[in-house]
Amino acid sequence: MVSIVNRVRRLPVPSLTPRVFPATRLRRNRASAFSRRLVREHQLTPDNLIYPVFVLEGQGQREPVASMPGVERLSIDLLVEAAAEWVALGIPAVALFPVVPAEKKNLSGSGAWDSDGLAQRAVRALKQAHPALGVITDVALDPFTTHGQDGIIDNDGYVLNDVTVEALVNQALSHADAGADVVAPSDMMDGRVAAIREALESAGHVNTRILAYSAKYASSYYGPFRDAVGSAANLGKADKATYQMDPANSDEALHEAAMDLAEGADMVMIKPGMPYLDIVRRVKTELQVPTFVYQVSGEYAMHMAAAENGWLDGDAVMMESLMAMRRAGADGILTYFAVRAARLMRARGY
């Protein structure tokens, strides 16, 4: 009597060879909207968006950023007012970038950890008015230095690593004390994540998250951002190649991200976005951690310029670019399109 086991073993094994046309028509699932939705591999929702915002001193102040159409610098009162819509749209978090007046800048960037500084006051105001809105703060000295570098420099203009880390710790602590949910060191100094994590733990900020700019490249796409925060003139013709990553490298990005995670980062960031989607995919696939990407000012400016000239469909290209980042593996996307995209999603019912 043939056993059940033997009978099962004699069943034909399905072939792993792909079926060919016409047995397989890949267009079948594309033929109708319902099936395209059912087999869609990635989704983009407001949950994936973080809105970078520029905050100004004063009251009732609003300044357009010439190189970033549709983007404005806002005083704290207007920022808080505008954030009500962002919360209603379901955007989970904003990333704050202060526009520091020239008279508050110096060689050491000491204004960065002023407990009554612009960023600190903005954090307190946002958390009081919109407690459920996540507030991410930038930890870097470039808005506060007269030379526009992200750290403290020596007589030759070289950014000193360890003394800069001490300053960044002070800055991160001041942000956490003000109520920041996430501190985001974007400076690319070695060892800063470990130092910030230790300081946060010692101060009782055990749930303050660290979003590490782990793979921040020495990119030419940052120009409009530097105009927006007022550091472009200070930086002049200098560059940041001694601490930001070489655009030619990808293995190094994995090394940087792994080190930041080992030091206590909760999330890692790749910057810029679309030109570096291969890095996003590698980090997400190989490290399997919360992976963020920054669709930077230059990317935004190019999209807007093409749309305003009628060369591209602005909404379509915006959504395609954001979906490309999701497809590459980004869990969160910092984008100046966040509000526009969230409005469009709401209008379309998703």
Side-chain angles (χ1 to χ4, degrees):
M1 184 176 184
V2 179
S3 71
I4 293 176
V5 172
N6 286 338
R7 279 187 288 170
V8 170
R9 286 175 177 168
R10 290 173 184 170
L11 290 175
V13 177
S15 172
L16 297 179
T17 303
R19 292 178 297 164
V20 296
F21 179 86
T24 297
R25 291 178 181 263
L26 293 176
R27 289 184 58 193
R28 288 192 191 110
N29 283 334
R30 303 174 196 155
S32 302
F34 84 87
S35 57
R36 290 195 297 271
R37 289 168 57 199
L38 284 171
V39 301
R40 188 164 291 148
E41 297 174 28
H42 299 89
Q43 300 292 329
L44 175 70
T45 77
D47 290 344
N48 305 117
L49 305 177
I50 298 167
Y51 191 34
V53 294
F54 302 107
V55 60
L56 277 173
E57 290 283 8
Q59 291 283 317
Q61 299 298 306
R62 184 189 300 272
E63 295 179 356
V65 179
S67 55
M68 300 176 69
V71 173
E72 296 178 312
R73 309 175 188 94
L74 299 174
S75 55
I76 292 174
D77 57 324
L78 297 185
L79 177 68
V80 170
E81 181 182 318
E85 181 198 6
W86 309 337
V87 172
L89 287 170
I91 295 171
V94 297
L96 279 177
F97 297 94
V99 182
V100 181
E103 63 271 16
K104 294 191 176 181
K105 299 185 181 192
N106 58 33
L107 284 172
S108 65
S110 59
W113 55 92
D114 181 353
S115 62
D116 197 39
L118 180 56
Q120 291 81 351
R121 283 182 279 123
V123 170
R124 288 193 289 267
L126 281 169
K127 293 307 296 183
Q128 181 176 3
H130 308 291
L133 178 67
V135 177
I136 303 169
T137 57
D138 183 49
V139 178
L141 301 186
D142 52 323
F144 302 90
T145 58
T146 50
H147 45 73
Q149 295 289 357
D150 291 34
I152 298 168
I153 61 173
D154 64 15
N155 292 334
D156 297 320
Y158 183 78
V159 175
L160 300 168
N161 194 91
D162 296 2
V163 68
T164 295
V165 168
E166 293 177 15
L168 297 172
V169 168
N170 291 333
Q171 185 181 20
L173 280 176
S174 74
H175 292 174
D177 288 341
D181 301 289
V182 184
V183 294
S186 63
D187 55 284
M188 291 299 287
M189 297 298 110
D190 291 333
R192 90 279 204 209
V193 172
I196 291 170
R197 173 56 70 205
E198 182 179 357
L200 291 173
E201 292 288 322
S202 296
H205 296 300
V206 297
N207 285 327
T208 302
R209 279 131 284 190
I210 297 176
L211 168 57
Y213 284 61
S214 297
K216 182 177 181 179
Y217 283 85
S219 172
S220 299
Y221 285 88
Y222 301 149
F225 174 92
R226 291 171 183 164
D227 290 338
V229 298
S231 65
N234 300 107
L235 186 63
K237 294 184 178 180
D239 61 38
K240 303 187 178 185
T242 65
Y243 50 98
Q244 294 179 353
M245 280 187 53
D246 185 337
N249 295 351
S250 62
D251 290 344
E252 185 183 12
L254 272 293
H255 195 175
E256 286 276 12
M259 286 183 65
D260 286 348
L261 290 163
E263 291 179 14
D266 302 285
M267 301 162 272
V268 296
M269 173 96 81
I270 292 87
K271 180 181 180 182
M274 191 169 289
Y276 294 85
L277 293 187
D278 60 317
I279 309 301
V280 177
R281 169 46 60 194
R282 287 197 65 187
V283 168
K284 187 62 179 178
T285 299
E286 298 183 37
L287 298 179
Q288 299 180 2
V289 296
T291 303
F292 288 31
V293 68
Y294 201 145
Q295 186 179 47
V296 298
S297 58
E299 298 174 73
Y300 174 86
M302 289 191 301
H303 280 84
M304 290 299 293
E308 290 186 348
N309 279 283
W311 301 331
L312 294 173
D313 180 325
D315 284 346
V317 169
M318 169 184 71
M319 298 303 287
E320 183 178 343
S321 69
L322 296 173
M323 181 59 79
M325 294 176 192
R326 285 286 291 140
R327 189 186 67 241
D331 301 296
I333 305 168
L334 278 81
T335 175
Y336 302 97
F337 285 122
V339 173
R340 179 174 171 178
R343 287 172 180 162
L344 186 60
M345 290 182 211
R346 170 165 288 188
R348 293 178 177 177
Y350 66 95

